Amino acid sequence: MIKNYVCFTLLTALMLPILSFGQTKDKPKLELGGALRFNYVYSSWKEEQKTKGGELGYDMFRINAKASYKKVFLNAEYRLYSEAFGGGFLKQGWVGYQFSEKDELHAGLVYVPFGIKQYNSHNWFFNITYYAGLEDDHDMGLKYLHTGTDWEYAIAFLKNAEELNFGGDVENDSSRYSYDVVGRNKETNQFNIKLVRKLGATVKHRIGFSGQYGSLYNIDTDSNGDHYALALHYEVDWNTWNLKTEAITVAHNPNNEPGQSNDIIQMGAYGSLSQNYLFMF
């Protein structure tokens, strides 16, 4: 007999008003915003929740800040989750320089240019690409962007994922927003490229290619493996409808110590061990 399980999640958010300071583009400008979010959860496979009629609790509080002065600007977002989901951590935080209306340089904890921006999904749980570190990912490095009428492209060098405990022999902490390789391997020295062609007026099409290649440093062997990902993606907007499609090939080749399989890596986010996943390649 097949059992059907249902999980209902109700989101409520209190948006903080955006505070803006500054009048012209020649004066410093600051924008502050944020949100407070609670969850109501009813899980049919948890008997205690069924008996109580679900649970209502704190989920997340966030602060957003944007600042600019002439051609220099800043973008940061800090999130404070419950302890079960990792506590507080920086989702993104970078400074930028605008060379022109179409060209920018970002430095810091930047959005990784790969796949459909910003989400390759239409649901609360994201897509499998998020848990594989290929959706709404943010890493430490430099990124150059060009946003034209017909073409968009981005080139990035990412030194590493969020490094919270400096030292080559220390495992990455899973208290982070983006899913990254954790455990005995670390992402390092990654290059990304993304190209998008834009077509149409009433029906808007975005056809793109993304690629990334980088090293996987292993703490035990003090040596580097590598990993890569390639994607073709297509997105179309028509009236209030949006369609996202993406085909991806990805490989991780760690150089683990003898006795440890090189076919398995550990991905982590949100602090808790329950939020870590083992992927086989």
Side-chain angles (χ1 to χ4, degrees):
M1 178 179 179
I2 299 176
K3 295 183 178 180
N4 294 321
Y5 297 112
V6 181
C7 175
F8 297 102
T9 301
L10 175 66
L11 307 178
T12 60
L14 173 64
M15 299 300 297
L16 300 181
I18 295 178
L19 305 178
S20 297
F21 304 91
Q23 301 297 323
T24 70
K25 64 180 181 179
D26 294 326
K27 293 182 179 181
K29 184 178 180 180
L30 174 64
E31 296 181 4
L32 297 176
L36 174 63
R37 191 167 69 200
F38 299 90
N39 277 356
Y40 169 76
V41 180
Y42 180 89
S43 304
S44 66
W45 61 90
K46 296 181 179 180
E47 292 300 324
E48 68 278 8
Q49 282 196 0
K50 292 172 64 177
T51 303
K52 293 187 296 182
E55 295 174 318
L56 177 65
Y58 167 76
D59 178 46
M60 183 270 291
F61 175 73
R62 80 165 190 255
I63 291 290
N64 300 81
K66 293 183 179 180
S68 62
Y69 178 64
K70 294 185 177 180
K71 294 186 176 183
V72 179
F73 52 98
L74 175 145
N75 186 307
E77 180 176 324
Y78 187 84
R79 295 191 173 195
L80 183 63
Y81 286 87
S82 62
E83 287 300 321
F85 285 89
F89 42 78
L90 189 67
K91 178 191 177 186
Q92 64 193 44
W94 45 265
V95 294
Y97 184 83
Q98 188 176 48
F99 297 99
S100 67
E101 292 183 356
K102 298 180 179 180
D103 298 278
E104 297 178 356
L105 179 68
H106 299 174
L109 184 58
V110 301
Y111 176 83
V112 177
F114 187 92
I116 294 176
K117 182 181 179 180
Q118 180 163 349
Y119 307 103
N120 185 38
S121 52
H122 286 114
N123 67 83
W124 167 251
F125 294 103
F126 296 99
N127 203 337
I128 187 63
T129 47
Y130 176 70
Y131 303 96
L134 298 172
E135 178 182 346
D136 198 21
D137 188 21
H138 303 261
D139 289 333
M140 296 297 302
L142 294 169
K143 179 175 64 174
Y144 181 86
L145 303 93
H146 172 83
T147 306
T149 303
D150 299 321
W151 291 93
E152 292 182 8
Y153 62 81
I155 302 171
F157 170 70
L158 305 165
K159 187 65 186 75
N160 46 253
E162 299 93 312
E163 188 64 70
L164 305 177
N165 299 303
F166 292 99
D169 60 347
V170 180
E171 292 187 5
N172 276 339
D173 194 325
S174 292
S175 293
R176 61 189 63 233
Y177 170 82
S178 305
Y179 271 87
D180 294 308
V181 176
V182 295
R184 306 307 288 175
N185 288 287
K186 294 185 175 185
E187 302 173 19
T188 184
N189 299 329
Q190 179 175 300
F191 293 89
N192 278 70
I193 185 170
K194 178 179 174 180
L195 179 66
V196 174
R197 178 72 164 101
K198 298 184 288 186
L199 301 167
T202 303
V203 181
K204 299 179 180 180
H205 308 268
R206 294 173 58 88
I207 306 169
F209 165 81
S210 297
Q212 68 180 39
Y213 177 83
S215 297
L216 287 177
Y217 173 77
N218 184 269
I219 296 173
D220 300 313
T221 61
D222 190 28
S223 61
N224 292 316
D226 64 5
H227 64 148
Y228 71 84
L230 301 171
L232 292 175
H233 34 92
Y234 170 70
E235 186 175 14
V236 59
D237 285 288
W238 177 66
N239 292 332
T240 58
W241 293 91
N242 173 264
L243 172 68
K244 303 175 188 288
T245 61
E246 189 165 307
I248 300 176
T249 180
V250 57
H252 294 267
N253 305 299
N255 191 13
N256 294 328
E257 65 178 348
Q260 298 294 321
S261 174
N262 288 329
D263 296 326
I264 299 176
I265 61 167
Q266 186 176 7
M267 307 291 295
Y270 295 100
S272 173
L273 290 176
S274 63
Q275 303 301 325
N276 291 352
Y277 296 91
L278 294 176
F279 282 83
M280 298 185 65
F281 295 90

